Amino acid sequence: MSINCSLWRDNNMSVKHFAFTKFSEVTEQCFLLFSLILLMFLASLTGNALIALAIWTNPALHTPMYFFLANLSLLEIGYTCSVIPKMLQSLVSEARGISREGCAAQMFFFALFGISECYLLAAMAFDRYMAICSPLHYATRMSRGVCVHLAMISWGVGCIVSLGQTNYIFSLDFCGPCEIDHFFCDLPPILALACGDTSHNEAAVFVVATLCISSPFLLIIASYGRILAAVLIMSSPEGRRKALSTCSSHLLVVTLFYGSASVSYLRPKASHSPGVDKLLALFYTVVTSMLNPVIYSLRNKEVKIALRRTLGKKKL
């Protein structure tokens, strides 16, 4: 059902309030999707919070690899909390509106956590490179100070880029329609509501997205290229197995995150469709965040032990 935007404009006739499109007119479908997303959201919050808590409360895990993993869990919590609660509300309520300021805030925080995660995953790959390719100097080159600085750079780049992107998008006028054909205030559907020709804006957004996704991804590829070269010349099969085992969880997370981000933001505009974009959004906002704690806890013995101690149980 179309929404009348006439009451949602300011004195300059620019839209000051938006509304998300309804997923379906069939109440049962909306409730089913609400239930599935809520379960995955709660699983994601619980899993990431437990991993962060287990790492911070267990001195044995106060190492660079787990320091970055705790930061990753915090980013995942912020990432999902920036969009999922409003998404859930829109699925089961007629209160699907969001103010222009609220939309800008949602876009800022979503971009902040997403971009920060891109660079944090690169820092994690560099940490694995130093641990495997330069073990004798690992303790000094990956000191606590260096790890904190790398994490701060990841968060700082995310903050600066997301602030610039959000300010750039919301400096435009929005003539209508006021209905966002999406679950949250993502860049492409918001740009589609702007007045006039937005091709230059879309090009600028594409360039920034390309740099924020491809530059850390290239650092990850370079780090794992060196790791693979080092592993291949190891004489001990046990050493090769252990080295690859420490990287497998991170590689799987990188594949899920960068794969979904690339398909969502780097494919040509002509191939975009609201239905596909919404499905992709569900995957990279809910599914990947839920899977990350599972991947790290199932494939990492130390994390499982720490979780067992945190939960006060003998078995997970």
Side-chain angles (χ1 to χ4, degrees), residues 254-290:
V254 166
T255 302
L256 288 172
F257 183 80
Y258 278 96
S260 58
S262 299
V263 172
S264 298
Y265 297 105
L266 300 184
R267 73 185 198 275
K269 182 183 176 182
S271 64
H272 281 262
S273 71
V276 173
D277 290 344
K278 289 176 184 178
L279 287 175
L280 286 170
L282 285 175
F283 184 81
Y284 64 73
T285 57
V286 185
V287 179
T288 57
S289 296
M290 179 190 68

Side-chain angles (χ1 to χ4, degrees), residues 81-125:
C81 287
S82 65
V83 297
I84 302 303
K86 186 64 180 176
M87 185 190 298
L88 291 171
Q89 181 190 22
S90 300
L91 282 169
V92 294
S93 169
E94 291 300 322
R96 293 178 283 117
I98 185 169
S99 67
R100 181 169 172 150
E101 293 77 14
C103 192
Q106 188 183 65
M107 180 181 290
F108 167 75
F109 284 109
F110 178 74
L112 164 65
F113 296 120
I115 294 169
S116 298
E117 185 165 338
C118 285
Y119 286 91
L120 188 72
L121 289 171
M124 294 173 78

Side-chain angles (χ1 to χ4, degrees), residues 32-286:
L32 177 61
L33 187 59
F34 170 86
S35 302
L36 290 173
I37 294 175
L38 178 61
L39 287 174
M40 289 189 288
F41 176 55
L42 293 176
S44 173
L45 285 183
T46 304
N48 283 296
L50 281 175
I51 283 184
L53 182 62
I55 291 171
W56 295 127
T57 56
N58 285 272
L61 299 186
H62 292 178
T63 63
M65 181 173 74
Y66 295 111
F67 170 79
F68 290 127
L69 179 56
N71 271 269
L72 179 65
S73 294
L74 294 177
L75 284 173
E76 292 288 6
I77 290 172
Y79 192 62
T80 54
C81 287
S82 65
V83 297
I84 302 303
K86 186 64 180 176
M87 185 190 298
L88 291 171
Q89 181 190 22
S90 300
L91 282 169
V92 294
S93 169
E94 291 300 322
R96 293 178 283 117
I98 185 169
S99 67
R100 181 169 172 150
E101 293 77 14
C103 192
Q106 188 183 65
M107 180 181 290
F108 167 75
F109 284 109
F110 178 74
L112 164 65
F113 296 120
I115 294 169
S116 298
E117 185 165 338
C118 285
Y119 286 91
L120 188 72
L121 289 171
M124 294 173 78
F126 178 72
D127 170 66
R128 291 300 82 208
Y129 157 70
M130 291 300 300
I132 294 171
C133 299
S134 187
L136 297 179
H137 304 287
Y138 178 69
T140 54
R141 293 182 180 177
M142 292 302 293
S143 64
R144 181 170 180 80
V146 171
C147 294
V148 170
H149 278 93
L150 288 173
M152 289 176 62
I153 289 171
S154 300
W155 286 80
V157 171
C159 184
I160 292 170
V161 174
S162 59
L163 185 62
Q165 281 277 71
T166 304
N167 183 66
Y168 181 64
I169 297 299
F170 282 89
S171 63
L172 301 171
D173 288 323
F174 297 93
C175 304
C178 59
E179 209 167 22
I180 303 171
D181 197 5
H182 212 299
F183 289 125
F184 64 95
C185 295
D186 203 4
L187 288 166
I190 293 297
L191 266 178
L193 305 181
C195 304
D197 181 18
T198 59
S199 57
H200 294 296
N201 308 91
E202 291 168 0
V205 169
F206 180 79
V207 169
V208 171
T210 302
L211 290 174
C212 289
I213 293 173
S214 63
S215 56
F217 184 68
L218 289 174
L219 290 174
I220 293 172
I221 293 297
S223 295
Y224 277 106
R226 297 292 298 274
I227 289 172
L228 182 60
V231 168
L232 290 176
I233 62 174
M234 287 181 179
S235 57
S236 167
E238 179 64 21
R240 286 197 297 269
R241 187 198 63 77
K242 186 176 180 181
L244 292 174
S245 176
T246 61
C247 299
S248 59
S249 298
H250 182 253
L251 274 174
L252 187 53
V253 169
V254 166
T255 302
L256 288 172
F257 183 80
Y258 278 96
S260 58
S262 299
V263 172
S264 298
Y265 297 105
L266 300 184
R267 73 185 198 275
K269 182 183 176 182
S271 64
H272 281 262
S273 71
V276 173
D277 290 344
K278 289 176 184 178
L279 287 175
L280 286 170
L282 285 175
F283 184 81
Y284 64 73
T285 57
V286 185

